[in-house]
Short mmCIF file of all heavy atoms in Angstrom, two decimals:
data_model
loop_
_atom_site.label_atom_id
_atom_site.label_comp_id
_atom_site.label_asym_id
_atom_site.label_seq_id
_atom_site.Cartn_x
_atom_site.Cartn_y
_atom_site.Cartn_z
N ASN W 79 7.24 25.85 14.03
CA ASN W 79 8.21 24.80 14.36
C ASN W 79 8.42 23.86 13.17
O ASN W 79 9.55 23.45 12.90
CB ASN W 79 7.76 24.00 15.58
CG ASN W 79 7.84 24.82 16.85
OD1 ASN W 79 8.65 25.74 16.95
ND2 ASN W 79 7.00 24.49 17.80
N ALA W 80 7.38 23.53 12.46
CA ALA W 80 7.50 22.67 11.29
C ALA W 80 8.35 23.34 10.22
O ALA W 80 9.18 22.70 9.58
CB ALA W 80 6.13 22.31 10.73
N LEU W 81 8.17 24.62 10.04
CA LEU W 81 8.97 25.36 9.07
C LEU W 81 10.43 25.38 9.48
O LEU W 81 11.32 25.17 8.65
CB LEU W 81 8.44 26.80 8.94
CG LEU W 81 9.21 27.71 7.97
CD1 LEU W 81 9.21 27.10 6.57
CD2 LEU W 81 8.60 29.10 7.96
N MET W 82 10.70 25.57 10.75
CA MET W 82 12.09 25.59 11.23
C MET W 82 12.74 24.22 11.06
O MET W 82 13.91 24.13 10.68
CB MET W 82 12.14 26.04 12.70
CG MET W 82 11.74 27.50 12.90
SD MET W 82 12.68 28.65 11.87
CE MET W 82 14.30 28.47 12.56
N VAL W 83 11.99 23.18 11.34
CA VAL W 83 12.53 21.83 11.16
C VAL W 83 12.85 21.58 9.69
O VAL W 83 13.92 21.05 9.36
CB VAL W 83 11.54 20.76 11.70
CG1 VAL W 83 11.95 19.37 11.27
CG2 VAL W 83 11.46 20.86 13.21
N LEU W 84 11.96 21.97 8.81
CA LEU W 84 12.19 21.81 7.38
C LEU W 84 13.42 22.58 6.92
O LEU W 84 14.27 22.07 6.20
CB LEU W 84 10.97 22.25 6.58
CG LEU W 84 11.11 22.17 5.06
CD1 LEU W 84 11.23 20.71 4.62
CD2 LEU W 84 9.94 22.84 4.38
N LEU W 85 13.54 23.83 7.36
CA LEU W 85 14.70 24.63 6.99
C LEU W 85 15.99 24.02 7.53
O LEU W 85 17.00 23.94 6.83
CB LEU W 85 14.54 26.07 7.48
CG LEU W 85 13.47 26.89 6.77
CD1 LEU W 85 13.29 28.24 7.45
CD2 LEU W 85 13.81 27.06 5.30
N PHE W 86 15.97 23.60 8.80
CA PHE W 86 17.15 22.98 9.39
C PHE W 86 17.54 21.72 8.63
O PHE W 86 18.71 21.49 8.33
CB PHE W 86 16.90 22.65 10.86
CG PHE W 86 18.03 21.92 11.49
CD1 PHE W 86 19.19 22.58 11.85
CD2 PHE W 86 17.95 20.55 11.70
CE1 PHE W 86 20.25 21.90 12.43
CE2 PHE W 86 19.01 19.85 12.26
CZ PHE W 86 20.16 20.54 12.64
N TYR W 87 16.55 20.90 8.29
CA TYR W 87 16.80 19.66 7.57
C TYR W 87 17.46 19.95 6.22
O TYR W 87 18.42 19.31 5.83
CB TYR W 87 15.49 18.90 7.38
CG TYR W 87 15.63 17.62 6.62
CD1 TYR W 87 16.17 16.49 7.20
CD2 TYR W 87 15.21 17.54 5.29
CE1 TYR W 87 16.31 15.31 6.50
CE2 TYR W 87 15.33 16.37 4.58
CZ TYR W 87 15.89 15.25 5.19
OH TYR W 87 16.02 14.10 4.48
N ASN W 88 16.95 20.93 5.48
CA ASN W 88 17.52 21.27 4.18
C ASN W 88 18.92 21.84 4.30
O ASN W 88 19.80 21.52 3.51
CB ASN W 88 16.60 22.23 3.42
CG ASN W 88 15.38 21.53 2.89
OD1 ASN W 88 15.42 20.37 2.54
ND2 ASN W 88 14.26 22.23 2.87
N ILE W 89 19.15 22.67 5.30
CA ILE W 89 20.49 23.22 5.52
C ILE W 89 21.45 22.11 5.89
O ILE W 89 22.57 22.03 5.39
CB ILE W 89 20.46 24.33 6.60
CG1 ILE W 89 19.72 25.55 6.05
CG2 ILE W 89 21.87 24.70 7.05
CD1 ILE W 89 19.38 26.58 7.11
N PHE W 90 21.01 21.20 6.78
CA PHE W 90 21.85 20.07 7.18
C PHE W 90 22.21 19.21 5.97
O PHE W 90 23.37 18.84 5.79
CB PHE W 90 21.13 19.24 8.24
CG PHE W 90 21.88 18.01 8.65
CD1 PHE W 90 22.95 18.11 9.50
CD2 PHE W 90 21.51 16.76 8.16
CE1 PHE W 90 23.66 16.98 9.88
CE2 PHE W 90 22.20 15.63 8.53
CZ PHE W 90 23.29 15.73 9.40
N ASN W 91 21.24 18.89 5.13
CA ASN W 91 21.52 18.08 3.93
C ASN W 91 22.48 18.78 2.99
O ASN W 91 23.35 18.15 2.41
CB ASN W 91 20.22 17.74 3.20
CG ASN W 91 19.48 16.62 3.86
OD1 ASN W 91 20.06 15.84 4.60
ND2 ASN W 91 18.19 16.54 3.63
N PHE W 92 22.33 20.08 2.85
CA PHE W 92 23.22 20.85 2.00
C PHE W 92 24.65 20.78 2.52
O PHE W 92 25.60 20.52 1.77
CB PHE W 92 22.75 22.31 1.94
CG PHE W 92 23.60 23.19 1.09
CD1 PHE W 92 23.44 23.21 -0.29
CD2 PHE W 92 24.57 24.02 1.65
CE1 PHE W 92 24.22 24.02 -1.08
CE2 PHE W 92 25.35 24.83 0.87
CZ PHE W 92 25.18 24.84 -0.51
#
Side-chain angles (χ1 to χ4, degrees):
N79 290 333
L81 178 59
M82 293 306 294
V83 168
L84 178 67
L85 290 173
F86 176 76
Y87 179 75
N88 286 327
I89 291 168
F90 176 77
N91 281 338
F92 180 81

